Amino acid sequence: MRLLSYFLAFLAVTVTLTLNIVSTLRPEWIVVRYPEVIGTRITLSYGLLQLCELKVIRVNLPSSAEPHASHMHTSRGHEACDGAGKPFCMRWSTAGYAEMVAVGCAALALFSILLGVTTHSRRRRVWKAVAGFVFLHGVLQMIGFAVVTDVYRTERRFEQGRPGIGYVMITVSWILDILVAGAVVIAGISADYGHEWARGRMGTNASMGRDVNSVFRPCTMCVYKWTG
């Protein structure tokens, strides 16, 4: 497979890995904004690893005609896995584990690309490992996405919630992973079948050399010396 194909795959996997890490660390997977009650508005941002609470309290100051807004931002972990919150906690933790394992698969994919491009012989074989790790990266992210989507649709706490930036980032990441894995498979199979656009000139020259050797048999010359 062409070196350019591996370079493009490396860039694409780097992008998906970055999206995976950033979305896992961000607390904006599901954002719930509650209506204002007695001058206080609460917004809860659910992330895979933390829960952030934002309180906006409006206070009427005597010296000002406009009400003053005071912001209080706190961050904490999710509730303990016991009682009524146990099913939610278990499913939410499953999504978090899936996203963290996915990071390792993307790292292995990048390592496989770097290892494969060192020699031409490895370059012809390593595309299978690259496609496998990239596909697994996408599947694990998809699992986390599916779990969060199911929790979002079934939990009453999310009735007023909306998907946040972390949810959107992971969606883009796993879709891009599936496309990249498919492209690597197509390019790899095409290179194995000798297509020049996928194999490159080096592969074409090598195959031409094998074809020439298979058509023309080696010529040996025998010289006889006559002695009187």
Side-chain angles (χ1 to χ4, degrees), residues 118-158:
T118 54
T119 62
H120 178 66
S121 59
R122 290 178 178 174
R123 197 187 312 167
R124 290 187 300 173
R125 301 189 306 267
V126 79
W127 67 265
K128 298 178 182 179
V130 173
F133 285 128
V134 174
F135 180 76
L136 187 58
H137 181 222
V139 169
L140 288 171
Q141 291 185 103
M142 192 189 307
I143 291 174
F145 164 84
V147 172
V148 172
T149 301
D150 181 66
V151 174
Y152 170 63
R153 295 176 58 185
T154 57
E155 283 285 333
R156 295 187 59 183
R157 71 183 71 198
F158 293 141

Side-chain angles (χ1 to χ4, degrees), residues 76-186:
R76 63 180 186 271
H78 295 291
E79 63 264 29
C81 292
D82 54 5
K86 184 175 181 179
F88 165 77
C89 183
M90 291 181 63
R91 288 190 291 173
W92 201 264
S93 299
T94 300
Y97 292 145
E99 300 303 332
M100 288 187 286
V101 174
V103 172
C105 293
L108 289 175
L110 295 177
F111 177 76
S112 298
I113 295 175
L114 294 176
L115 183 64
V117 298
T118 54
T119 62
H120 178 66
S121 59
R122 290 178 178 174
R123 197 187 312 167
R124 290 187 300 173
R125 301 189 306 267
V126 79
W127 67 265
K128 298 178 182 179
V130 173
F133 285 128
V134 174
F135 180 76
L136 187 58
H137 181 222
V139 169
L140 288 171
Q141 291 185 103
M142 192 189 307
I143 291 174
F145 164 84
V147 172
V148 172
T149 301
D150 181 66
V151 174
Y152 170 63
R153 295 176 58 185
T154 57
E155 283 285 333
R156 295 187 59 183
R157 71 183 71 198
F158 293 141
E159 289 180 353
Q160 303 180 48
R162 293 292 183 271
I165 185 63
Y167 185 89
V168 174
M169 292 173 67
I170 208 64
T171 304
V172 174
S173 182
W174 72 257
I175 292 176
L176 183 58
D177 266 332
I178 300 301
L179 295 177
V180 171
V184 171
V185 170
I186 293 174

Side-chain angles (χ1 to χ4, degrees), residues 13 72 77 121 190 192:
V13 175
M72 299 175 60
S121 59
S190 300
D192 289 345

